[in-house]
Amino acid sequence: DDFSAFQPRFVYQIDLLREEAELWQNLHHKTRYNVGAAQRNGLQVVDVGVDGCDAFAHLLAETGARRGFRGHSAGEIMDLLVQYGEDAHLWLAVSGETAVAGILCLTQGGQMWNLYSASSELGRQKKANDLLQWYAICRAKGWGCRCYDPSVGARCESVNC
């Protein structure tokens, strides 16, 4: 009843007006290490849009079972992507042909929000979530966003934008 199962207790915002090198340095040292580990583990980030709804729903269900919340169906995810159009972004971290983690973000008014992140056990082992967070930060900055709200995942210096 209190929304704690799916809403973060705190909101973090990363000021994207800084240079990329400074953003990278402001990430927690463990997050920087994990991004490199994910890359060394051969993970790649793929922009999948509506084509990734089934895979993301599966990852979200796995994450929900592990963390104690109900995920969303592929149809619900697709509805959100269609409704928000170019402002909605679904990216998957893949190991070969296998989706091991995903992130669903929205952009509006110069900001990007991470709505949902999900991962398989293999994705957790390969540090896929940190790679996805860094990817989203870089995309948001590249698109001219002023702020990124990771809500979950990215350990960094947080500021109000």
Side-chain angles (χ1 to χ4, degrees), residues 71-107:
H72 295 284
S73 71
E76 290 170 319
I77 295 163
M78 184 178 293
D79 287 347
L80 189 145
L81 289 170
V82 169
Q83 185 70 30
Y84 282 91
E86 292 180 0
D87 292 333
H89 315 282
L90 179 57
W91 297 302
L92 296 177
V94 296
S95 177
E97 298 285 320
T98 304
V100 297
I103 186 171
L104 176 60
C105 295
L106 289 181
T107 55

Side-chain angles (χ1 to χ4, degrees), residues 107-125:
T107 55
Q108 282 191 331
Q111 295 188 346
M112 180 184 280
W113 292 269
N114 170 5
L115 295 184
Y116 304 108
S117 295
S119 62
S120 66
E121 188 57 39
L122 181 60
R124 292 178 68 200
Q125 292 169 7

Side-chain angles (χ1 to χ4, degrees), residues 7-161:
Q7 291 295 333
R9 291 183 191 184
F10 303 100
V11 174
Y12 302 101
Q13 294 181 327
I14 300 170
D15 178 1
L16 297 178
L17 298 178
R18 301 171 185 192
E19 295 298 320
E20 187 173 309
E22 186 179 354
L23 292 170
W24 176 255
Q25 285 304 312
N26 284 341
L27 293 175
H28 189 278
H29 68 89
K30 188 68 173 173
T31 302
R32 292 192 309 266
Y33 176 84
N34 288 346
V35 170
Q39 293 168 333
R40 289 187 298 278
N41 284 322
L43 296 185
Q44 301 216 354
V45 178
V46 181
D47 185 346
V48 292
V50 295
D51 293 336
C53 289
D54 288 333
F56 187 67
H58 177 77
L59 291 165
L60 201 53
E62 185 174 340
T63 301
R66 185 173 62 243
R67 305 280 313 268
F69 66 86
R70 182 189 79 77
H72 295 284
S73 71
E76 290 170 319
I77 295 163
M78 184 178 293
D79 287 347
L80 189 145
L81 289 170
V82 169
Q83 185 70 30
Y84 282 91
E86 292 180 0
D87 292 333
H89 315 282
L90 179 57
W91 297 302
L92 296 177
V94 296
S95 177
E97 298 285 320
T98 304
V100 297
I103 186 171
L104 176 60
C105 295
L106 289 181
T107 55
Q108 282 191 331
Q111 295 188 346
M112 180 184 280
W113 292 269
N114 170 5
L115 295 184
Y116 304 108
S117 295
S119 62
S120 66
E121 188 57 39
L122 181 60
R124 292 178 68 200
Q125 292 169 7
K126 291 190 174 217
K127 310 303 182 192
N129 284 327
D130 289 314
L131 177 64
L132 285 165
Q133 288 288 348
W134 177 243
Y135 184 84
I137 289 167
C138 291
R139 292 303 297 261
K141 179 167 180 54
W143 289 335
C145 291
R146 298 179 324 275
C147 285
Y148 175 70
D149 179 350
S151 295
V152 294
R155 292 173 287 192
C156 58
E157 177 184 307
S158 302
V159 297
N160 276 332
C161 300

Side-chain angles (χ1 to χ4, degrees), residues 1-9 69:
D1 290 340
D2 66 359
F3 302 104
S4 65
F6 56 89
Q7 291 295 333
R9 291 183 191 184
F69 66 86

